[in-house]
Amino acid sequence: MRGRSDVLEPAILGLLHESPMHGYELRKRLNLVLGSFRALSYGSLYPCLKSLVERHWIVGTESGADSGHGVSKRARIVYQLTADGKEHLQQVLAQSGPSTWEDENFDVRFAFFAQTDAETRLRILEGRRTRLTERLDTIRQSFARTRERMDEYTLELQRHGLEQVEREVRWLDGLIDNERGRRRVRPTGTGQPADAASTVADDTVPARTTEKERG
């Protein structure tokens, strides 16, 4: 259960950093934005929200709504980040260790890259690529050793898994090149020029799209 919370908590904090939300809206956003949470239930969400409230990272406020006929609809609790919650979120977003490279954690961190500084984004992307390259080597070695003993369906499943990892490595290569390009064209002490940003995007995005379509 703790592993689930380790992923869910920063996702909630990240979404509430964008704007306050009530539980139903928050669940919809989690299901929509984060693929790992497509099966997220209220049974998972509300205990997590309660825990975040108890640690003073978020606060819930009742918000009634007028139906337009002089009768108030059922009040909903709207959650928003506290100052302590914002500080904790920044600490989470500054982390770039091995745990951030793993499957579910990486998805959550990537979803909030807009709130993450450039150096941390690059470290996470490079770490993720290292992790997948190691996985790719393991799959290839296993595939080479056992393919003669596999039936056609197991063989096809193994090949499918191999191709998925290869596609993600290519995708990461494009993202890493893009991040490095941003750093190269940004003059010291100033923001990135608009024309430089456009050049980087033009040079990298179509290549990644082509690879995904090709896969």
Side-chain angles (χ1 to χ4, degrees), residues 122-203:
L122 185 57
R123 285 196 297 269
I124 293 174
L125 290 171
E126 290 175 338
R128 176 65 174 174
R129 190 189 187 286
T130 296
R131 178 68 79 246
L132 287 184
T133 300
E134 294 170 351
R135 186 182 300 174
L136 198 55
D137 290 340
T138 300
I139 295 174
R140 283 170 174 163
Q141 291 172 16
S142 174
F143 189 67
R145 286 196 308 267
T146 60
R147 63 181 304 166
E148 298 300 329
R149 300 193 299 271
M150 293 181 188
D151 61 73
E152 60 179 307
Y153 300 107
T154 304
L155 188 64
E156 197 58 38
L157 186 62
Q158 290 287 315
R159 185 178 291 111
H160 175 64
L162 183 64
E163 290 172 352
Q164 281 185 315
V165 179
E166 288 173 339
R167 280 197 299 270
E168 186 168 350
V169 169
R170 293 195 298 269
W171 175 67
L172 289 167
D173 284 340
L175 291 171
I176 290 169
D177 287 345
N178 193 30
E179 290 291 337
R180 289 174 177 167
R182 289 170 187 261
R183 293 172 62 187
R184 284 195 298 269
V185 300
R186 185 183 295 117
T188 304
T190 66
Q192 181 179 342
D195 57 342
S198 175
T199 300
V200 173
D202 289 344
D203 288 344

Side-chain angles (χ1 to χ4, degrees), residues 64-130:
D66 196 294
S67 65
H69 302 285
V71 180
S72 294
K73 295 180 180 179
R74 180 180 176 183
R76 286 177 170 174
I77 297 178
V78 176
Y79 297 92
Q80 61 184 14
L81 279 185
T82 64
D84 287 345
K86 291 177 182 178
E87 182 179 348
H88 177 71
L89 176 61
Q90 292 309 309
Q91 293 173 357
V92 171
L93 294 180
Q95 296 173 5
S96 58
S99 65
T100 66
W101 311 342
E102 304 303 335
D103 295 344
E104 279 198 343
N105 287 337
F106 175 76
D107 290 345
V108 172
R109 291 304 306 274
F110 190 81
F112 300 108
F113 261 21
Q115 302 177 31
T116 305
D117 69 89
E119 294 288 341
T120 302
R121 289 198 304 264
L122 185 57
R123 285 196 297 269
I124 293 174
L125 290 171
E126 290 175 338
R128 176 65 174 174
R129 190 189 187 286
T130 296

